[in-house]
Amino acid sequence: MNEDIRIHSWPCSYYLDTSKQWVSGRLSLTPVAIKFTADKTGELLVNFHLSAISEIKKESSNLIFSSLTILEKNTKHWFSSLQPNRNVVFNILEHFWREQLLSSQGAGAEAASLQSTKGKELTGLLTGSQKRLEDTAKVLHYQGEQFDNIMRGLNKIEGDMDVADRLLTELESPSWWPFSSKLWKAPLETKPKETATVSDSKNQEGIIIRIPVIITHRTDSNVKPGKLTLFASGLEISDCNSQVIHRFESRDIDDIRVHTPYEISVRQRFIGKPDTSYRLLSAKMPEAIPILEMQFSKKIQFLEDALGFAGASKSPQVDLGTSIWQA
């Protein structure tokens, strides 16, 4: 993945210690680094790797203005007047910083992987192919269970039709017909067993992938961390306490938009009331997008900044542009 991809950019002010003044500009986040560019001069005043960060905190400058501080090695960087607000920027920066620390390779290994040998590249392709095959097997297994449930449902319908036919015969029979009680009891004894058989196999589905995400609902002025879980039957959005915020069944999803390799939006349309839409940002999103593309091939849409991601596995050097989710 290209290190120069800009995931997000926010207008803010940066305290320049050399001149003892605040400088207006834009704070930018890439997959492995944080940058600040001054508006007037266009000079790059801040540029360091996420792996070099020791701490990210919410503080106040002069006890009045809310600020965000980033401790990089022994240098403390101050950012204020963050838009849309400080909490949004803090949650996103902390998410990517934490995922960078949890990553086994880290920023240095990611940069070194760009110069890996052909043997390592082939090994990576084989590993990725194996994972895709495993995901496909899970989806096919669940679809097989769905077909089994459909067949059970058809058998149940056929049995119910047979019962209805016998009940109609019962109603048309004269009152002195000696076998009436047996005909009425037969369907009542078999129906609960059939219903139990279908319900027992209803919830037998496994998790394909689960990743941490930053969740935005309708407005970008409020974001919160959570989790995205992909099933063969749909996807589920939950908070940090594993409480379900919303679950989309596959048939309920109208479109999935890939804004960048790290950011997607999921929408369900309604008539006469607002759509249900969630925007999800994650450092692990590149692992989930291929699975979403496989499951929702007719509903997924790659926007301009993510057009190159669809073919990234074939051509690793792709310019993906910048994020369209601007503050």
Side-chain angles (χ1 to χ4, degrees), residues 90-99 212-214 281-283:
F90 174 80
N91 287 331
I92 295 176
L93 290 181
E94 186 188 41
H95 167 79
F96 279 85
W97 172 53
R98 182 176 62 250
E99 293 302 322
V213 294
I214 298 295
L281 174 71
S282 175

Side-chain angles (χ1 to χ4, degrees), residues 201-256:
S201 60
K202 184 177 181 181
N203 296 321
Q204 295 178 356
E205 62 170 329
I207 297 174
I208 298 177
I209 189 174
R210 174 178 288 163
I211 60 173
V213 294
I214 298 295
I215 306 168
T216 305
H217 184 43
R218 293 183 182 175
T219 173
D220 60 355
S221 62
N222 184 23
V223 301
K224 57 183 177 181
K227 299 176 183 178
L228 170 65
T229 306
L230 297 183
F231 302 94
S233 60
L235 59 89
E236 187 175 271
I237 302 171
S238 58
D239 59 18
C240 292
N241 299 321
S242 298
Q243 296 295 321
V244 177
I245 298 176
H246 192 84
R247 180 184 173 97
F248 290 95
E249 299 295 337
S250 296
R251 63 180 179 274
D252 297 333
I253 298 176
D254 289 306
D255 60 68
I256 298 176

Side-chain angles (χ1 to χ4, degrees), residues 1 3 31-32 49-52 94-113 212 262 282-287:
M1 195 66 65
E3 292 185 10
V32 296
H49 276 266
L50 291 172
S51 58
E94 186 188 41
H95 167 79
F96 279 85
W97 172 53
R98 182 176 62 250
E99 293 302 322
Q100 187 71 217
L101 294 179
L102 294 176
S103 175
S104 59
Q105 294 182 344
E110 184 173 347
S113 65
Y262 300 91
S282 175
K284 301 293 185 181
M285 193 63 72
E287 300 177 11

Side-chain angles (χ1 to χ4, degrees), residues 123-314:
T123 303
L125 290 175
L126 289 174
T127 304
S129 300
Q130 181 181 1
K131 190 175 186 302
R132 297 289 84 77
L133 288 174
E134 291 175 356
D135 296 336
T136 304
K138 292 179 181 179
V139 174
L140 291 177
H141 175 70
Y142 178 73
Q143 290 176 348
E145 291 182 346
Q146 287 182 319
F147 282 123
D148 291 340
N149 293 336
I150 291 172
M151 292 304 299
R152 293 191 187 97
L154 292 175
N155 292 335
K156 182 178 181 298
I157 292 173
E158 184 179 359
D160 290 343
M161 291 179 65
D162 183 58
V163 170
D165 183 63
R166 285 187 290 172
L167 292 178
L168 289 174
T169 304
E170 169 82 13
L171 293 174
E172 294 173 356
S173 301
S175 58
W176 48 264
W177 187 251
F179 305 104
S180 299
S181 60
K182 293 182 180 179
L183 291 173
W184 280 98
K185 290 180 180 179
L188 296 177
E189 293 175 356
T190 59
K191 188 174 181 179
K193 295 180 181 179
E194 186 66 31
T195 304
T197 304
V198 175
S199 61
D200 289 341
S201 60
K202 184 177 181 181
N203 296 321
Q204 295 178 356
E205 62 170 329
I207 297 174
I208 298 177
I209 189 174
R210 174 178 288 163
I211 60 173
V213 294
I214 298 295
I215 306 168
T216 305
H217 184 43
R218 293 183 182 175
T219 173
D220 60 355
S221 62
N222 184 23
V223 301
K224 57 183 177 181
K227 299 176 183 178
L228 170 65
T229 306
L230 297 183
F231 302 94
S233 60
L235 59 89
E236 187 175 271
I237 302 171
S238 58
D239 59 18
C240 292
N241 299 321
S242 298
Q243 296 295 321
V244 177
I245 298 176
H246 192 84
R247 180 184 173 97
F248 290 95
E249 299 295 337
S250 296
R251 63 180 179 274
D252 297 333
I253 298 176
D254 289 306
D255 60 68
I256 298 176
R257 296 185 178 184
V258 182
H259 301 274
T260 71
Y262 300 91
E263 185 180 359
I264 67 170
S265 60
V266 185
R267 181 174 61 166
Q268 180 182 3
R269 296 176 179 173
F270 294 97
I271 298 176
K273 62 179 182 178
D275 299 342
T276 300
S277 179
Y278 288 89
R279 200 147 185 168
L280 307 172
L281 174 71
S282 175
K284 301 293 185 181
M285 193 63 72
E287 300 177 11
I289 290 178
I291 302 175
L292 290 171
E293 188 178 8
M294 178 180 63
Q295 285 188 260
F296 306 98
S297 57
K298 295 182 179 180
K299 299 180 180 180
I300 194 167
Q301 178 186 4
F302 288 85
L303 300 185
E304 182 179 357
D305 290 339
L307 286 176
F309 184 70
S313 59
K314 298 179 181 179

Side-chain angles (χ1 to χ4, degrees), residues 63-117:
L63 303 177
I64 299 177
F65 301 105
S66 60
S67 301
L68 185 69
T69 62
I70 301 177
L71 183 61
E72 177 246 339
K73 296 181 180 179
N74 295 325
T75 305
K76 194 170 188 178
H77 302 274
W78 288 78
F79 300 93
S80 187
S81 303
L82 295 158
Q83 298 179 18
N85 59 61
R86 180 178 63 174
N87 290 334
V88 170
V89 181
F90 174 80
N91 287 331
I92 295 176
L93 290 181
E94 186 188 41
H95 167 79
F96 279 85
W97 172 53
R98 182 176 62 250
E99 293 302 322
Q100 187 71 217
L101 294 179
L102 294 176
S103 175
S104 59
Q105 294 182 344
E110 184 173 347
S113 65
L114 298 176
Q115 301 177 353
S116 61
T117 62

